[in-house]
Amino acid sequence: MGIASLLPTLKSISRHAHVGETYAGQVVCVDAYVWLHRGAYACSRELCEGLPTRKHVEYFLNRARTLKRANVRAIYVFDGGRLPGKANEEAQRRRNRSEALAKAKAHARQGNASAANDFYVRAVDITPEMAREVIEALAREGFESLTAPYEADAQMAYLVKNGFVAGVITEDSDLIAHGCRSVFTKMAGDGSGIEIRFEELGRNRGLSFVGFTPDMFLEMCVLSGCDYLPSLNGVGVKKAHSLIRRFKTYNKVLRHMKFEGIAVPKDYESRFVDALLTFKYSWVYCPQRREIVNLNDPVGVLDQSLIDDLPRLIAHSRVGAIDERADPKA
DNA sequence: TTAACGTCAAAAT
DNA sequence: TTGACGTTAA
């Protein structure tokens, strides 16, 4: 998901590259979520039926070995809580999966393996146990992994911002919204993919980001619609861009819209602030201090009363239980 | 011109 | 299920 159509917007500064050429001798972090899913496709039937398989683990290890061969040291970052979304969305997904599983089994009974497989792939669930299997397999080969207290996105953004890693390998455009120096997407099995550098933004053709600060860019992203807040009707990346270019801050954008009599839901502003806070102050693990910290330091930036509220504000924006692996005390 | 909408293909073997 | 792309509607 992430920010809708942000990647196509940045096509002119997207560079075809190879992880080796891009990161050789450096450390990067990898969004484990995608590889976990792709690996599961290779053996969705076995996973659904509870049959023994290690294909998904092997898939992940192969990717990890590709990075190693390219002389890239990687930290594999896993999501903490059970993945995003409201409880009812999660329940709906569970229902969809079990329906798909029923259909898969029906096709399998009739001997139609390929039809069955179409439904098995829709029925696979990525469980914490699968993540643990992969983490253990990685460790056995000397690969490092890290489970984020909440979301991997924020965790990876922290690692880049503080110089722990040089870049992020992911499919998620949110990392660009976070202002990551280097984001590597669409990595194939051979290590080829596309790199986007934040400092190239000023050279983008089409939408111009000349004069944009990282905050302006982030606010544009939230305005255009993100995982935490859908956009207003008729607002996409283009509209959000022209509004921020003209008014510089979301505050002034919203004031302008009110002035123009554009219909804005009553709670939009407060939800916008929550979304921004979630982007900027999510909880992450600091490998140096060995404790949970905010992605950005709120001290001196936010009012103390707001800082005191962060645990509540950020915890409710993504409801997800933190499993025991993510507990700093464990 | 831009966003919304619908269709299509890829994911891994 | 998601992202990419072409078409349509405002």
Side-chain angles (χ1 to χ4, degrees):
Chain A
M1 297 223 201
I3 316 295
S5 71
L6 184 59
L7 258 49
T9 302
L10 303 179
K11 195 165 182 191
S12 72
I13 55 165
S14 303
R15 196 177 59 92
H16 284 277
H18 188 276
V19 279
E21 156 219 340
T22 311
Y23 300 122
Q26 295 184 293
V27 190
V28 300
C29 58
V30 176
D31 189 353
Y33 176 79
V34 179
W35 293 359
L36 225 35
H37 267 271
R38 290 192 185 160
Y41 281 114
C43 50
S44 52
R45 185 183 66 91
E46 290 87 340
L47 291 171
C48 285
E49 301 289 358
L51 303 170
T53 177
R54 298 206 38 97
K55 277 187 190 163
H56 56 305
V57 179
E58 281 307 315
Y59 174 87
F60 205 110
L61 288 175
N62 278 330
R63 290 293 173 106
R65 291 174 192 134
T66 296
L67 291 180
K68 190 179 182 182
R69 273 196 306 275
N71 189 27
V72 177
R73 190 181 138 204
I75 298 170
Y76 298 92
V77 181
F78 291 78
D79 283 288
R82 198 100 162 92
L83 271 165
K86 311 253 153 78
N88 46 11
E89 276 177 29
E90 188 59 39
Q92 182 62 48
R93 292 192 169 192
R94 253 196 299 278
R95 275 195 296 276
N96 291 343
R97 281 196 300 264
S98 77
E99 276 177 36
L101 183 57
K103 288 178 184 168
K105 285 178 171 171
H107 283 296
R109 267 195 304 275
Q110 288 164 6
N112 192 340
S114 89
N117 197 54
D118 285 347
F119 288 97
Y120 278 126
V121 296
R122 296 184 211 180
V124 240
D125 182 23
I126 306 298
T127 64
E129 290 68 36
M130 288 162 64
R132 206 192 43 216
E133 271 185 285
V134 170
I135 290 169
E136 285 169 2
L138 286 169
R140 276 193 292 274
E141 296 199 17
F143 295 118
E144 305 155 77
S145 51
L146 174 61
T147 301
Y150 291 91
E151 293 177 68
D153 281 357
Q155 180 65 55
M156 297 190 292
Y158 182 84
L159 295 178
V160 177
K161 278 189 185 183
N162 293 86
F164 291 107
V165 301
V168 177
I169 297 176
T170 180
E171 300 301 312
D172 199 331
S173 52
D174 277 7
L175 272 295
I176 304 169
H178 273 296
C180 281
R181 275 190 279 285
S182 172
V183 175
F184 198 96
T185 66
K186 307 191 191 308
M187 189 188 121
D190 64 355
S192 63
I194 290 168
E195 188 201 13
I196 298 175
R197 301 187 140 270
F198 198 77
E199 61 258 36
E200 298 279 311
L201 232 43
R203 281 205 265 282
N204 193 51
R205 284 177 296 138
L207 298 189
S208 166
F209 295 105
V210 174
F212 268 56
T213 63
D215 272 343
M216 286 166 69
F217 189 78
L218 175 58
E219 289 175 22
M220 178 199 78
C221 288
V222 176
L223 266 179
S224 77
C226 64
D227 292 348
Y228 311 116
L229 182 66
S231 70
L232 296 168
N233 280 341
V235 179
V237 175
K238 304 265 167 72
K239 270 275 171 53
H241 171 267
S242 80
L243 287 166
I244 289 293
R245 189 178 55 173
R246 188 163 159 210
F247 298 104
K248 311 294 188 231
T249 68
Y250 77 89
N251 240 318
K252 291 177 181 167
V253 168
L254 293 179
R255 200 184 307 161
H256 164 77
M257 293 202 281
K258 253 175 238 168
F259 184 74
E260 291 285 301
I262 297 165
V264 177
K266 194 158 178 17
D267 63 345
Y268 184 75
E269 180 158 6
S270 72
R271 294 183 65 193
F272 193 98
V273 173
D274 280 359
L276 265 189
L277 289 172
T278 305
F279 261 105
K280 295 175 85 165
Y281 303 104
S282 287
W283 302 106
V284 298
Y285 177 73
C286 176
Q288 198 166 51
R289 291 163 60 183
R290 294 168 177 272
E291 60 181 356
I292 305 281
V293 300
N294 292 111
L295 170 49
N296 291 287
D297 187 359
V299 177
V301 182
L302 302 181
D303 289 344
Q304 190 56 47
S305 59
L306 192 50
I307 295 177
D308 295 337
D309 257 356
L310 283 179
R312 185 179 59 80
L313 290 173
I314 294 173
H316 79 67
S317 60
R318 280 288 178 100
V319 198
I322 309 174
D323 71 15
E324 59 285 350
R325 278 178 295 120
D327 190 335
K329 295 184 290 294

